[in-house]
Amino acid sequence: MLPTGKSHLVKVLTSNLLVDLEDHLRAEALKAFEIVRDHTNLNKKRARESEGQLRFRMMEQRFEEVCLTHGGTVLEGGVIPSTDLRVFQPFMRFEVDGKGIIFGLATMSEPQTIPNKNKSRVAGVSLNYHLTPRLDFDSSGPKMGDNFVLLLVSRHRERAGLIEEIAIGIIDSKYENFLFYETVETFLSGHADVPSLPPVNPTAGAVAAVALKAHVKPFVPPEATADEEAIAKDGPPVGA
């Protein structure tokens, strides 16, 4: 994907949105694990399958709710704008500077693996046709206004209830490869609105952070007598 495409993604997928999504999705994954563990009497295989289904449905609903609070809109009637493509998942649309993205949620079996196909995702990736290198001599190919972007979640394979990786991904129109893939952490590093600590001067490590005044004026309470004031100012008389 071209750098200009990344810069547009950074504008649309704000740090506040992504941090909020990451917090909520991790919480939903843990909650799904605890529900199956504490409130079912399933054997290991059935418990794992049930947890996977429940985890995705809970994350899917939270994904939609969080996106709505950050200005996203659900596709009206489940149809991708300017197309006849219908989706059956809660895909959200965000727009900045007249350019939009269709934002969806998917799970990966492990990090950096293409998520399973379904009708909604296949419809979505067809929007990415113009991002895929191809021969287009007459420029007659589809010129969709939006791109299809996924928030990709991989469960932790060794620690139940946890998430191993969350990433931003764009899949080519043939549903074979990633045109763009970055973990949320890496993606957020490109955000200008992410606060960062000021650079540290390695040679200044021995310099005290707080400098004391050379001469400290002692505190004299307002009710002090003249003798007490003199003692505070000049110290006690010699031999006292």
Side-chain angles (χ1 to χ4, degrees):
M1 188 176 182
L2 298 175
T4 53
K6 167 69 181 289
S7 64
H8 177 62
L9 284 184
V10 169
K11 288 181 182 179
V12 178
L13 302 177
T14 66
S15 59
N16 287 338
L17 167 64
L18 294 179
V19 170
D20 208 4
L21 281 170
E22 181 167 19
D23 287 346
H24 280 85
L25 296 187
R26 289 185 184 277
E28 293 303 310
L30 181 58
K31 190 186 301 182
F33 163 72
E34 292 173 341
I35 289 173
V36 173
R37 180 196 64 188
D38 300 339
H39 301 286
T40 68
N41 192 28
L42 297 173
N43 62 31
K44 186 175 181 179
K45 181 178 183 295
R46 291 188 177 95
R48 186 169 60 249
E49 292 172 347
S50 298
E51 180 190 339
Q53 286 286 335
L54 182 60
R55 178 176 59 244
F56 182 76
R57 294 307 175 194
M58 291 172 66
M59 290 195 304
E60 187 179 53
Q61 179 166 313
R62 191 66 65 210
F63 171 83
E64 180 178 0
E65 293 169 351
V66 171
C67 286
L68 285 171
T69 65
H70 287 271
T73 56
V74 182
L75 300 186
E76 186 175 355
V79 176
I80 297 176
S82 304
T83 75
D84 58 358
L85 301 172
R86 184 173 294 277
V87 300
F88 304 91
Q89 289 180 243
F91 287 172
M92 312 299 295
R93 186 176 189 276
F94 291 86
E95 181 179 317
V96 172
D97 298 333
K99 296 172 62 180
I101 69 164
I102 305 299
F103 195 36
L105 175 70
T107 57
M108 304 175 284
S109 57
E110 59 184 87
Q112 301 186 45
T113 55
I114 301 291
N116 292 333
K117 286 184 180 181
N118 62 26
K119 290 183 179 180
S120 297
R121 293 172 197 152
V122 170
V125 300
S126 66
L127 297 180
N128 296 332
Y129 177 76
H130 68 286
L131 295 178
T132 306
R134 69 193 191 285
L135 295 176
D136 185 21
F137 297 110
D138 58 4
S139 298
S140 60
K143 295 290 187 294
M144 300 298 183
D146 296 345
N147 298 137
F148 179 63
V149 184
L150 282 170
L151 185 67
L152 299 156
V153 182
S154 173
R155 69 174 180 84
H156 204 294
R157 288 163 288 169
E158 298 176 357
R159 303 179 64 185
L162 300 185
I163 298 299
E164 182 173 359
E165 183 164 290
I166 301 179
I168 306 296
I170 297 179
I171 302 174
D172 71 285
S173 61
K174 293 183 179 180
Y175 214 100
E176 294 176 349
N177 300 290
F178 283 114
L179 298 171
F180 177 86
Y181 184 99
E182 282 188 2
T183 65
V184 166
E185 182 180 7
T186 300
F187 188 85
L188 286 175
S189 67
H191 271 271
D193 57 337
V194 176
S196 59
L197 295 175
V200 177
N201 182 355
T203 63
V207 179
V210 179
L212 298 178
K213 293 182 178 179
H215 302 285
V216 180
K217 183 178 180 180
F219 171 73
V220 179
E223 66 276 11
T225 64
D227 289 340
E228 290 172 330
E229 290 184 12
I231 291 172
K233 179 179 181 182
D234 302 320
V238 176

